[in-house]
Amino acid sequence: MNGSTTFDLAISGMTCASCAGRVERALGKVPGVQSVSVNLANERAHVEVLGPMDPGVLIAAVDKAGYGATLPQSETATKADQTQRLHRERWALLLAILLALPLVLPMLAAPLGLHWMLPAWAQFALATPVQFIVGARFYSAAWNAVRAGAGNMDLLVAIGTSAGYGLSVYQWLTTQPGTAPHLYFEASAVVIALVLLGKYLESRAKRQTASAIRALEALRPERAIRVLDGREEDVAINALKLNDRVLVKPGERFPVDGEVVEGQSHADEALISGESLPVPKQPGDKVTGGAINGEGRLLVRTLAVGAESVLARIIRLVEEAQAAKAPIQKMVDKVSQVFVPAVLVLAVATLLGWWLYGASLETAIINAVAVLVIACPCALGLATPTAIMAGTGVAARHGILIKDAEALERAHEVSTVVFDKTGTLTCGTPKIVHLAAVDGNQALLLQHAGALQRGSEHSLAKAVLDACKEQGLTVPDVSASHSLTGRGIAGTLDGQSLALGNRRLLEDSGLSMGELGTRAAAWEAEGRTLSWLLEQGASPRVLGLFAFGDTLKPGALAAVQHLKARHIRCHLLTGDNRGSARVVARPSGLKTCTPKCCPPTRQPPSPS
């Protein structure tokens, strides 16, 4: 929208979906506000306004609604605040349980034939701290709700437990000496402890959900090396602008989305594309922030920063999915708005009904309090948003992005699942799946390859070194090691000149595949990546061949079979060649389809 400004506010005091709805309505009433989205999971409000606006106006609107609002702190400060708050809630919960447990023990002991009861003064001493110290948060939230002219679950907790506590005090003070009064201190204390347990579990779910987003944000470096007029300077990411030149060293993550200006290297883009093999990068190629640079130094021109980067858009998708309301939640929001007033009306009606029917005032009050207490830990306003937060959070931690809450709600209707290959069914990291030595000594072949790859950051090098480690092979040092741009790597081992690389290296050396040609053709048909080990010098020759490929994840086959057992059709859609697709599809029992063999009839949907 032209001339629009966006604000992100940290919201405090929200306890359920109704709270989020009230904050949305309060911000939506501010003149100039175009749209509002409140995320209960991370307690943030995203506000879009037309033209400039003082954020203090928005903060005042939230305060008037009975909640708190501030401009967001740094990620480190936010994480520290969440940890500290969770720590406080844990101790409050433990204190409530420890004080409430002695009040409940007589009830638990009754079925065993043990009949005893704590003195009234002891029950009062145990229940009072739970009611007014540990439970102070409910009174505060209830007062804010009343001040805003609305009801929430905290108001029910405060009224219901206060009624039970007050009735117990009245019974204690008015009962004749020598008579055991009917006290309900344990009911109020236990309700507060149970509701605190629910709040604590909800806070943990929020924190775990937010951790998925923080894990994505952690992929983005906080600082970068900017090259300006030939000088290198270390700057914060938010100081970069479009078209700035950024230097990325080997093994570092790209701090921005950009275009390579100088240098050649490979980039591990598995976090974005799921592709297990590094992608070659040279001047003119695009790079993605968060991807890992390989063996070369690259100078990158910045094309996108901040919220416009690919990684930031992925993070925004996860946050929007958590903030989105499922159809059932929209209904829950409407019901929860009238739930608290309805419960209060029912409690008053219960009181009047029993009293007018002829029951004693004590009996009428007890029954009215029962209505309030039973309605206190209401799952209506908590279960749906918590389920959505937990569902999207768990999915994000497993690399699954859910488009919106409606998709999550309708997941039970799924009849067909289409799998991607790399990083979904497969591990996403290459391994040696085949090797062949001309002289038959595979261990020596692997040892020589490991010596050449020692110290390299390339994923294929890691696969070779992992294989050496698995077989317990000692990797010797090579001398005169140097990279062969676009072809591989070379070095000298015990006076023998060796080189490891692709088919281009083989052709440049003037060598033929020889007896390994048949195996090479078969392995290429499987979609494998081949590397040749050569002896260079006066009499160059082929020493052996390696085939690298991705392997199935340990639980991939079980997951596919589980879906099939539920009569869900499973297909594999991949951009790789047919051979690579068949290697994964056959053991999985999947039907395969590649864009080349089945071109789409319309624009395919975005990965989100």
Side-chain angles (χ1 to χ4, degrees):
M1 182 179 297
N2 294 332
S4 63
T5 307
T6 59
F7 293 96
D8 285 315
L9 300 176
I11 309 297
S12 60
M14 295 191 298
T15 59
C16 62
S18 296
C19 298
R22 278 194 291 276
V23 174
E24 282 186 354
R25 289 191 293 274
L27 290 171
K29 292 178 182 178
V30 176
V33 172
Q34 301 299 302
S35 65
V36 182
S37 175
V38 176
N39 189 333
L40 186 63
N42 61 9
E43 299 179 329
R44 294 287 180 93
H46 182 76
V47 186
E48 186 173 2
V49 301
L50 185 62
M53 178 178 289
D54 182 3
V57 176
L58 301 174
I59 293 174
V62 175
D63 288 340
K64 187 176 180 181
Y67 303 91
T70 58
L71 293 175
Q73 300 173 298
S74 66
E75 184 63 30
T76 302
T78 300
K79 185 177 179 180
D81 181 66
Q82 291 176 343
T83 302
Q84 187 178 21
R85 184 170 58 184
L86 191 66
H87 185 71
R88 288 197 303 267
E89 290 184 0
R90 184 185 299 115
W91 280 109
L93 173 61
L94 290 175
L95 179 60
I97 292 175
L98 289 175
L99 293 174
L101 192 59
L103 297 172
V104 181
L105 283 178
M107 185 188 306
L108 298 177
L112 302 177
L114 302 176
H115 301 284
W116 60 280
M117 187 68 64
L118 288 174
W121 64 267
Q123 295 186 48
F124 173 79
L126 290 169
T128 300
V130 177
Q131 187 71 39
F132 298 109
I133 298 177
V134 179
R137 58 179 291 175
F138 298 111
Y139 288 100
S140 176
W143 169 247
N144 289 334
V146 171
R147 191 181 63 178
N152 60 10
M153 302 305 155
D154 295 310
L155 181 60
L156 278 183
V157 174
I159 293 176
T161 58
S162 296
Y165 179 88
L167 179 60
S168 299
V169 172
Y170 172 79
Q171 293 279 68
W172 176 33
L173 296 178
T174 58
T175 301
Q176 295 296 328
T179 305
H182 294 285
L183 305 179
Y184 307 94
F185 286 120
E186 84 285 347
S188 297
V190 169
V191 165
I192 289 177
L194 290 177
V195 175
L196 284 177
L197 175 61
K199 298 284 188 184
Y200 174 72
L201 294 177
E202 184 186 7
S203 295
R204 279 190 60 189
K206 287 181 182 180
R207 191 166 183 263
Q208 290 170 357
T209 300
S211 68
I213 297 176
R214 286 196 297 269
L216 291 173
E217 291 175 337
L219 297 176
R220 184 170 47 199
E222 296 183 356
R223 304 191 68 81
I225 300 176
R226 180 169 59 188
V227 179
L228 188 62
D229 297 330
R231 293 180 293 104
E232 298 179 6
E233 53 182 0
D234 184 88
V235 298
I237 290 295
N238 55 17
L240 294 176
K241 300 178 181 178
L242 293 180
N243 296 318
D244 276 354
R245 304 295 176 96
V246 177
L247 179 65
V248 185
K249 298 178 181 179
E252 292 183 343
R253 291 189 181 273
F254 292 98
V256 295
D257 293 358
E259 179 183 28
V260 177
V261 178
E262 293 179 8
Q264 290 186 337
S265 185
H266 287 77
D268 180 357
E269 298 180 340
L271 83 159
I272 301 297
S273 65
E275 177 55 54
S276 59
L277 295 176
V279 181
K281 298 296 179 182
Q282 58 187 0
D285 290 341
K286 300 293 191 298
V287 295
T288 306
I292 303 174
N293 184 26
E295 70 283 359
R297 289 166 59 97
L298 295 177
L299 186 63
V300 176
R301 180 170 65 89
T302 302
L303 297 180
V305 293
E308 299 304 317
S309 66
V310 172
L311 190 57
R313 292 201 298 270
I314 292 177
I315 294 172
R316 193 156 58 243
L317 281 174
V318 177
E319 292 177 335
E320 288 173 356
Q322 293 170 347
K325 289 183 172 62
I328 189 174
Q329 186 175 347
K330 294 176 182 178
M331 181 185 70
V332 166
D333 288 349
K334 293 179 181 179
V335 174
S336 61
Q337 290 175 20
V338 299
F339 182 79
V340 174
V343 170
L344 294 177
V345 170
L346 285 174
V348 173
T350 302
L351 172 66
L352 295 177
W354 279 90
W355 188 43
L356 294 176
Y357 184 72
S360 65
L361 181 61
E362 177 185 341
T363 301
I365 292 175
I366 291 173
N367 290 329
V369 170
V371 172
L372 294 173
V373 171
I374 289 172
C376 284
C378 174
L380 185 65
L382 294 175
T384 303
T386 303
I388 291 174
M389 287 186 293
T392 55
V394 169
R397 287 197 300 276
H398 287 80
I400 301 172
L401 298 183
I402 297 174
K403 183 177 181 181
D404 52 36
E406 183 175 357
L408 185 63
E409 181 181 326
R410 297 183 59 189
H412 70 282
E413 301 174 4
V414 170
S415 60
T416 302
V417 174
V418 180
F419 289 97
D420 179 36
K421 182 179 73 69
T422 307
T424 302
L425 291 176
T426 63
C427 295
T429 54
K431 294 185 179 297
I432 296 178
V433 292
H434 304 295
L435 74 160
V438 172
D439 61 2
N441 192 340
Q442 294 186 351
L444 183 61
L445 179 75
L446 185 58
Q447 196 173 32
H448 285 176
L452 288 173
Q453 299 283 28
R454 189 172 183 176
S456 174
E457 298 292 334
H458 200 284
S459 60
L460 296 186
K462 186 177 184 301
V464 172
L465 294 172
D466 286 345
C468 291
K469 185 176 180 180
E470 290 172 3
Q471 297 191 22
L473 299 177
T474 303
V475 180
D477 291 325
V478 296
S479 59
S481 177
H482 59 281
S483 174
L484 304 173
T485 305
R487 291 170 294 169
I489 191 170
T492 302
L493 177 62
D494 297 330
Q496 186 181 20
S497 180
L498 301 175
L500 180 68
N502 53 27
R503 180 179 291 190
R504 182 180 168 187
L505 172 65
L506 185 70
E507 293 171 350
D508 289 350
S509 301
L511 297 173
S512 64
M513 299 181 188
E515 60 186 73
L516 298 179
T518 302
R519 296 189 187 184
W523 295 343
E524 281 187 328
E526 294 179 1
R528 308 303 188 184
T529 299
L530 303 184
S531 287
W532 300 84
L533 182 64
L534 313 177
E535 181 181 0
Q536 296 180 318
S539 301
R541 62 191 180 101
V542 175
L543 298 179
L545 173 64
F546 295 86
F548 298 88
D550 210 349
T551 56
L552 282 172
K553 286 183 176 179
L557 294 178
V560 172
Q561 296 305 320
H562 178 73
L563 291 174
K564 286 187 173 183
R566 299 173 67 89
H567 306 291
I568 296 176
R569 295 186 297 272
C570 298
H571 298 267
L572 176 66
L573 177 64
T574 176
D576 289 347
N577 56 61
R578 288 177 177 270
S580 179
R582 282 196 297 267
V583 168
V584 172
R586 280 176 181 169
S588 307
L590 295 171
K591 294 182 178 180
T592 61
C593 180
T594 64
K596 293 181 180 179
C597 69
C598 297
T601 56
R602 63 179 185 272
Q603 184 68 24
S606 65
S608 62

